[in-house]
Amino acid sequence: KQWYQRRVAVVGLTSRQDVMELMEKRVKSRFSHRQFFIFGPPTFEEYIAIAHEILCPDSLSLPSWSTHVKEVLNSTDNKIKTYLERVYNFNRSVKLLKNCLTWVAVDIDSSSPKINVDLFEEKLIEVFKDSKAVLIRSLSKLECCILIAMARLSTKHANQPFNLEMVLFEYKEVSDFTLAIEFYKIIRKLLIG
């Protein structure tokens, strides 16, 4: 028996505009469709001010650092400002800005206590890297072969489940075929050359 007197409020936060389209039918039907859109900083100047606040939370304790950051962020011919503008145009999320600037600030040490353009560019590339590509690069050859076998199985048996035994059989087929090709190349090289 359902109790209609009891109401539940669910609050969700997202940066996606199409969140309503992603919900299931039954969730949509129970949803009151009240949405509040809260946008990030509307101007690039405010975005730069937020970047300054992230890098200098307490400007009184380190006035020289605060002055350096202000000079770097307000310079007109600065590459760092250009990179920040790319981040701003890509996603105006303060979370992304904080992530980028945190990685830059972590690598600043006493030997080079200033924001370096090369370091900033390197950290920005790291933040925007595809996490799946990084994960795949860290796999061993065997793990990559098993992943390829699983991908082949998923294309052969579309929307059908498969088990480890099937993956092993597919891996064996691929490795036997690859071994045969390598063996053929070696024999051909011996006969021809």
Side-chain angles (χ1 to χ4, degrees):
K1 185 175 181 180
Q2 291 184 353
W3 293 93
Y4 292 103
Q5 292 86 6
R6 295 185 186 167
R7 297 197 177 255
V8 176
V10 177
V11 178
L13 296 173
T14 182
S15 60
R16 294 190 64 157
Q17 294 288 332
D18 63 342
V19 70
M20 292 302 300
E21 296 163 12
L22 299 173
M23 290 185 179
E24 291 181 10
K25 278 186 181 179
R26 62 185 175 157
V27 175
K28 270 193 217 177
S29 67
R30 290 171 177 81
F31 185 65
S32 67
H33 297 285
R34 282 188 237 164
Q35 297 178 16
F36 298 99
F37 295 103
I38 301 170
F39 297 101
T43 63
F44 183 64
E45 288 75 26
E46 289 181 7
Y47 200 71
I48 293 293
I50 292 170
H52 185 268
E53 279 296 315
I54 291 170
L55 289 171
C56 303
D58 184 17
S59 58
L60 297 175
S61 62
L62 294 169
S64 61
W65 170 253
S66 180
T67 306
H68 167 67
V69 169
K70 195 173 275 189
E71 287 173 1
V72 166
L73 294 177
N74 293 328
S75 175
T76 55
D77 61 337
N78 194 347
K79 278 189 171 184
I80 292 177
K81 196 168 183 178
T82 307
Y83 290 134
L84 283 175
E85 197 167 2
R86 284 186 195 165
V87 173
Y88 175 77
N89 291 331
F90 175 74
N91 185 348
R92 296 176 186 196
S93 165
V94 176
K95 180 181 176 183
L96 180 65
L97 175 67
K98 193 173 190 177
N99 194 8
C100 291
L101 295 177
T102 302
W103 283 109
V104 171
V106 164
D107 280 354
I108 294 174
D109 57 2
S110 59
S111 64
S112 61
K114 299 198 182 272
I115 298 175
N116 186 354
V117 176
D118 297 330
L119 175 70
F120 194 87
E121 183 180 17
E122 176 187 320
K123 294 303 173 184
L124 194 65
I125 289 169
E126 281 182 27
V127 168
F128 284 110
K129 269 186 188 174
D130 185 11
S131 59
K132 291 178 187 173
V134 172
L135 182 65
I136 287 175
R137 281 191 206 109
S138 68
L139 295 176
S140 68
K141 288 182 181 179
L142 177 62
E143 290 168 332
C144 284
C145 291
I146 291 173
L147 193 64
I148 291 168
M150 288 169 52
R152 285 175 52 108
L153 273 176
S154 67
T155 55
K156 280 183 182 177
H157 307 288
N159 299 327
Q160 297 292 322
F162 50 87
N163 58 20
L164 186 61
E165 186 178 353
M166 293 169 72
V167 173
L168 182 62
F169 183 75
E170 187 69 26
Y171 167 72
K172 191 173 181 197
E173 275 186 10
V174 171
S175 63
D176 288 346
F177 180 73
T178 308
L179 187 63
I181 289 174
E182 290 298 319
F183 186 68
Y184 173 75
K185 285 180 183 176
I186 291 171
I187 290 184
R188 187 164 182 208
K189 189 176 182 181
L190 288 172
L191 292 176
I192 294 174

